[in-house]
Amino acid sequence: MGFIDFLLGSTKLPQPKSERLFAIATARVTLEAKLGLRPTGNAAICIKPLESSTYDRTRAEIEDLLRLGSREAGTAYRLENDSYGYMWVVLTDPEFEDLVSGIHMVVRSLTDSGLGQQLLCAVYPFSNGSKVYWIFSFKLGAYYPFVPSKSGRERESALELRLRSVMAEELPIEKDVERWYPIWEMPL
């Protein structure tokens, strides 16, 4: 922010760092080969709440895009709000590349509409008996692993660190572990 912007109180909201979002498409091969992690067939994107008229218009635009994408690629979708009021766009498709493309389509739509700053994260769940979530933070422009333990609201931190070390060459991973925020109530 410049000095004049500071004085006038006008600030420019940062745009999401989404150019690294596609890295998960190629990293999937390594996740399967080295770690035995397979995509679950779902992915989601979380969007901050908007004022009601903007929210309604944006939701309708996203649904129109997803309806069209659903006809072309066969990707199923649903939109739902969580207990905090965040909107989740949840995609289901056996083809992982279609999930990545669907997430990118929503990101592009919001960014083109000037609502890119509303994007919080994209989530790609994988499994090998346990759920492993790869979360892309739009603010950070990086991924991080989130592995909830089976015994409640605890994390498998050792496994998360192992995942980071194995995937560091494949994915842009957030270096500061303190920024690896858990998301406990995902609709996935």
Side-chain angles (χ1 to χ4, degrees):
M1 169 182 349
F3 181 69
I4 299 295
D5 290 335
F6 175 76
L7 287 175
L8 298 175
S10 59
T11 60
K12 203 179 206 183
L13 293 173
Q15 288 301 308
K17 299 174 183 174
S18 59
E19 63 277 356
R20 297 175 171 180
L21 188 59
F22 275 117
I24 195 77
T26 55
R28 183 192 116 220
V29 175
T30 303
L31 287 165
E32 286 186 46
K34 289 187 177 178
L35 299 165
L37 292 169
R38 301 204 184 296
T40 63
N42 296 308
I45 188 165
C46 184
I47 304 165
K48 281 192 277 187
L50 305 162
E51 62 185 53
S52 65
S53 64
T54 306
Y55 176 82
D56 292 339
R57 186 185 81 246
T58 303
R59 184 179 178 115
E61 287 176 15
I62 290 171
E63 284 190 275
D64 287 344
L65 274 171
L66 291 170
R67 208 173 294 120
L68 180 64
S70 177
R71 277 183 265 171
E72 289 181 18
T75 304
Y77 69 92
R78 72 180 191 279
L79 277 68
E80 61 181 81
N81 292 346
D82 64 17
S83 60
Y84 299 104
Y86 295 115
M87 181 171 72
W88 286 86
V89 178
V90 181
L91 305 177
T92 303
D93 194 306
E95 295 296 325
F96 188 71
E97 290 76 17
D98 290 344
L99 292 172
V100 175
S101 295
I103 293 292
H104 185 263
M105 180 178 62
V106 173
V107 169
R108 183 72 179 223
S109 174
L110 286 169
T111 304
D112 289 350
S113 299
L115 298 170
Q117 68 275 5
Q118 300 304 119
L119 293 165
L120 293 177
C121 66
V123 180
Y124 298 94
F126 287 79
S127 179
N128 64 355
S130 298
K131 280 265 182 126
V132 171
Y133 299 93
W134 281 97
I135 299 173
F136 181 82
S137 167
F138 288 99
K139 181 179 176 184
L140 303 172
Y143 282 92
Y144 62 90
F146 170 54
V147 184
S149 71
K150 293 180 181 178
S151 62
R153 286 192 174 237
E154 294 177 21
R155 297 171 77 163
E156 298 289 341
S157 299
L159 179 53
E160 291 176 356
L161 293 172
R162 180 172 170 253
L163 290 166
R164 175 182 65 177
S165 67
V166 172
M167 296 307 296
E169 297 291 319
E170 298 281 332
L171 285 172
I173 296 179
E174 173 57 39
K175 291 175 181 26
D176 184 358
V177 225
E178 296 296 318
R179 291 182 168 195
W180 292 11
Y181 303 111
I183 303 175
W184 296 107
E185 296 178 27
M186 288 184 270
L188 293 169

